[in-house]
Amino acid sequence: MATAVVARPVARPQARARDEEVLVWPDLVFVEFISAMVFTLTLFLLAFLINAPLLDQANADVTPNPSKAPWYLLNLQELLLHMNAAMAGVIIPTIWLVILGAFPYFDREQEGQGQWFGTEGAVKITIAAGLVGFVGCWALILWDSGKLAFFMHDWFGISGGDRLRFLADVRSLQTQLPWPDWSKEITYLPFNLKLLSSDAPGGPTQFQHLDFPGWIVEQGVPIAVMVGLPCIMIYTMWRIGWVETRRDALLALFSGFIGAYGVLTLVGTAFRGQGQELVFPWELKVSEGIPGQDAGGH
Amino acid sequence: MAVEQPTRPTIADKIYDKMFHNYLWKSIFRTGYPNTPRNQMLVVATNVFLHLHPTRIHRTHVKITHTYCLGGLSFFMFLGLTITGILLMFYYVPSVDRAYLDIQNIQTNVQFGQLMRNMHRWMAHAMVILVFMHMMRVFYTGAYKPPREFNWVVGVILLVLTFLLSFTGYLLPWDQLAFWAITVGTNIAGSAPVLGPKSRFWLLGGLQVGPDALIRFYTLHVIGLPLLAAIFMAVHFWRIRRDGGLARPL
Ligand code: HEM
């Protein structure tokens, strides 16, 4: 019997409030039935009106331009354009999923549970953080695509001149700054270090070379941005008294994520044209590719 | 309480009685038509499908604006996808020579084939969206908090499985869209440090998307992942009951 179980340190289910309960049949079953019917009808209608896409048969020699992953992965494909591939495609999503799964182990207060925005100021935090994620992500994408510098120059006549050229996009931090030569080839030992090997000279002594300016662009800035900006946001909200509990901090983090994730998915889906150029959705064209030719040209 | 006066049964009453109180009906459903509280609870408790529910539930949780039925609809999409998926399997052979032609065949020669394919496709998209929105609803209602920690974790696993189910299905039509989307997608996976190239090779059964990839994706899509998802859904639903139903304020 359950009573034999020793009291656990984790929370137990709440006692039921029987006088507040209604019967599942009909009250819940009815609602479920209606929503299932509405969905069935809507999907039937959709299926009658719009056909699932079917392009030409797969052909490994013909690359469409742009080639895109399914839409729910386009957020990652978008990230990929801005940083080291392993980081964007695997490490960040994995870390984020772990953080997401750890939410309940971080925020264990019972306050506000089972209620939409049940804590004080929850709506405020959600909207603010959502906007920060949305606007911030757009701004970063525009910066990294060079559009920000372009708008500044073409629309407002503001130009940073040569001195600020290194700010035109993230890559310019690498190419437009006078990095000394040694910084582009910093010797270090990777995991497969062979230094201690006693083999013949010229043998397995192995060093790898770190291109520091490249590292800054591919990993340094992205990590700083993705770890730093949420921290700054939550810290600021804490200083102005919006974020007080762990729940508040998670609200800010999660809502910021939703904002940024939405922008990444949207941009990857609707704003990336040939060669993954940033374009407006109505300018977006897909070249199906011609066998034996690079699909970019016409 | 007023005592009910017996009245003479009308025609409707007689038909009703014949339909729901005959031997055959009762052999299947045990109870009569659930029109009394007792029968209503019995029907939920004794029916294997309805038994996923408790017999009684807190009144705030039947309000549509509490859950927007998002979890239930995710599950409903899963069921619908299973049904339409089985119908598609009758006609589809996962070989590079046949896959594309089979899809064309389904669209042009099979009765309701195009409709089935469309349904399967749009339901798959709907499920991804619904599961994600369900996660948002759980988060913003603070329903992940103790004692529901682990069910949230199970949920995150279900989210990943939903993505994977959708992703593996994407390749099966074997058209340009499918081929290149999976090429891009598996390249992303392949970029992982240490395990990346190995896991990409393992997923594709080779170095690029080809016949072996097709059969692997097919197997994962029609049996491997649905089985896993079903198991985790069973755990998910069981835990909801064990954790005392849906979360509600203290
Ligand atoms: C295949 C995917 C999923 C299915 C079929 C599913 C199904 C359900 C259903 C039917 C409920 C009952 C209440 C409702 O409808 O909202 C529920 C509750 C719940 N789900 Fe899911 N779910 C899925 C994915 C997820 C995900 C991705 C998460 C979170 C990351 C999650 C976390 C939870 C939690 C914590 C509850 C309890 C909510 C409460 O107590 O109010 N589930 N799920």
Side-chain angles (χ1 to χ4, degrees):
Chain A
M1 276 300 291
T3 45
V5 179
V6 188
R8 300 169 299 166
V10 291
R12 294 162 153 280
Q14 274 166 270
R16 294 176 63 168
R18 298 214 172 248
D19 45 336
E20 288 287 306
E21 289 182 346
V22 293
L23 290 175
V24 160
W25 182 301
D27 293 75
L28 181 62
V29 176
F30 186 71
V31 173
E32 288 175 343
F33 182 74
I34 295 289
S35 66
M37 281 305 113
V38 169
F39 253 74
T40 311
L41 287 180
T42 314
L43 279 162
F44 256 108
L45 204 68
L46 199 68
F48 270 116
L49 294 179
I50 312 176
N51 281 344
L54 187 67
L55 307 183
D56 292 340
Q57 186 159 13
N59 183 345
D61 297 329
V62 182
T63 318
N65 184 7
S67 299
K68 291 192 178 184
W71 63 268
Y72 43 83
L73 288 183
L74 288 182
N75 31 60
L76 298 185
Q77 208 181 339
E78 175 65 30
L79 270 190
L80 217 60
L81 297 174
H82 304 284
M83 61 191 75
N84 173 278
M87 223 170 83
V90 183
I91 300 175
I92 289 167
T94 308
I95 292 181
W96 175 246
L97 283 170
V98 171
I99 293 180
L100 199 65
F103 271 16
Y105 299 91
F106 173 73
D107 164 30
R108 299 189 225 163
E109 294 300 319
Q110 304 268 321
E111 196 204 340
Q113 75 166 342
Q115 231 179 334
W116 279 93
F117 305 105
T119 47
E120 208 189 316
V123 175
K124 190 171 66 178
I125 297 172
T126 301
I127 294 175
L131 279 176
V132 169
F134 184 87
V135 175
C137 190
W138 259 119
L140 285 166
I141 290 173
L142 288 177
W143 172 36
D144 195 30
S145 61
K147 296 280 183 207
L148 221 50
F150 176 81
F151 292 151
M152 293 283 240
H153 184 261
D154 268 37
W155 296 7
F156 306 111
I158 305 170
S159 159
D162 283 349
R163 299 236 333 267
L164 292 182
R165 179 145 298 151
F166 72 97
L167 288 177
D169 54 26
V170 181
R171 185 58 73 183
S172 299
L173 292 174
Q174 178 187 7
T175 56
Q176 304 292 330
L177 283 178
W179 294 97
D181 279 343
W182 62 264
S183 69
K184 295 172 190 163
E185 246 186 307
I186 300 175
T187 311
Y188 76 107
L189 281 172
F191 289 125
N192 53 348
L193 63 166
K194 298 242 172 82
L195 197 60
L196 294 181
S197 167
S198 57
D199 282 43
T205 316
Q206 274 196 352
F207 287 99
Q208 288 208 353
H209 301 291
L210 175 73
D211 178 2
F212 185 69
W215 181 87
I216 286 280
V217 166
E218 305 237 320
Q219 301 185 25
V221 173
I223 292 175
V225 162
M226 275 183 289
V227 177
L229 292 189
C231 289
I232 293 176
M233 177 180 74
I234 294 173
Y235 178 75
T236 313
M237 287 185 167
W238 175 63
R239 286 307 295 261
I240 62 174
W242 286 19
V243 167
E244 286 175 351
T245 62
R246 291 183 167 196
R247 166 70 173 162
D248 295 341
L250 284 192
L251 273 170
L253 183 65
F254 187 78
S255 306
F257 159 73
I258 296 289
Y261 187 76
V263 171
L264 287 173
T265 313
L266 182 74
V267 170
T269 310
F271 289 84
R272 286 290 174 185
Q274 301 199 343
Q276 302 291 347
E277 274 298 316
L278 195 65
V279 297
F280 285 111
W282 51 89
E283 295 168 352
L284 199 150
K285 286 189 215 65
V286 178
S287 147
E288 304 294 350
I290 303 157
Q293 272 187 19
D294 192 8
H298 290 271
Chain B
M1 231 177 140
V3 181
E4 253 182 58
Q5 298 298 322
T7 50
R8 197 186 277 260
T10 62
I11 294 276
D13 288 338
K14 281 191 183 147
I15 294 174
Y16 173 89
D17 206 47
K18 276 268 178 304
M19 269 174 72
F20 296 116
H21 290 151
N22 64 52
Y23 192 81
L24 181 66
W25 174 278
K26 288 215 160 178
S27 76
I28 303 171
F29 293 109
R30 299 277 172 228
T31 64
Y33 183 81
N35 55 349
T36 64
R38 182 177 172 278
N39 277 351
Q40 285 169 343
M41 291 208 265
L42 272 178
V43 77
V44 173
T46 57
N47 183 295
V48 64
F49 304 108
L50 293 176
H51 185 62
L52 283 173
H53 304 102
T55 56
R56 290 141 59 89
I57 177 176
H58 198 268
R59 62 169 72 250
T60 52
H61 297 145
V62 298
K63 280 219 194 83
I64 191 111
T65 51
H66 186 73
T67 62
Y68 292 97
C69 290
L70 289 165
L73 284 171
S74 306
F75 183 51
F76 187 61
M77 289 302 111
F78 183 73
L79 295 181
L81 284 161
T82 308
I83 294 169
T84 50
I86 288 174
L87 293 175
L88 291 172
M89 278 175 78
F90 289 148
Y91 302 97
Y92 175 87
V93 176
S95 84
V96 169
D97 296 332
R98 281 197 56 181
Y100 183 75
L101 299 178
D102 284 348
I103 298 285
Q104 278 184 329
N105 194 34
I106 286 172
Q107 295 191 157
T108 49
N109 292 337
V110 177
Q111 286 258 352
F112 301 119
Q114 176 84 64
L115 186 70
M116 276 311 118
R117 175 162 186 246
N118 293 352
M119 284 286 271
H120 196 74
R121 185 115 182 160
W122 303 141
M123 275 189 170
H125 287 323
M127 183 164 167
V128 171
I129 298 171
L130 286 167
V131 171
F132 197 86
M133 293 192 357
H134 169 62
M135 177 183 75
M136 289 174 67
R137 123 50 206 155
V138 170
F139 179 82
Y140 285 115
T141 55
Y144 58 80
K145 289 159 178 267
R148 294 177 183 76
E149 310 97 316
F150 187 66
N151 219 11
W152 169 268
V153 176
V154 173
V156 173
I157 295 170
L158 280 171
L159 178 72
V160 174
L161 286 175
T162 307
F163 281 143
L164 286 176
L165 269 167
S166 182
F167 184 66
T168 49
Y170 216 86
L171 180 65
L172 304 187
W174 203 249
D175 64 343
Q176 280 290 74
L177 191 63
F179 184 88
W180 290 100
I182 300 308
T183 302
V184 172
T186 48
N187 279 345
I188 294 181
S191 68
V194 193
L195 293 179
K198 257 271 173 289
S199 57
R200 180 168 182 275
F201 187 90
W202 177 80
L203 196 61
L204 293 182
L207 289 172
Q208 52 164 301
V209 181
D212 299 314
L214 184 57
I215 192 73
R216 281 185 192 203
F217 274 53
Y218 175 79
T219 312
L220 286 174
H221 185 72
V222 303
I223 182 76
L225 292 168
L227 211 61
L228 263 183
I231 291 170
F232 277 99
M233 281 183 205
V235 175
H236 198 56
F237 299 155
W238 172 254
R239 297 280 310 204
I240 295 174
R241 296 287 303 276
R242 291 293 100 187
D243 293 338
L246 298 196
R248 61 194 159 82
L250 287 179

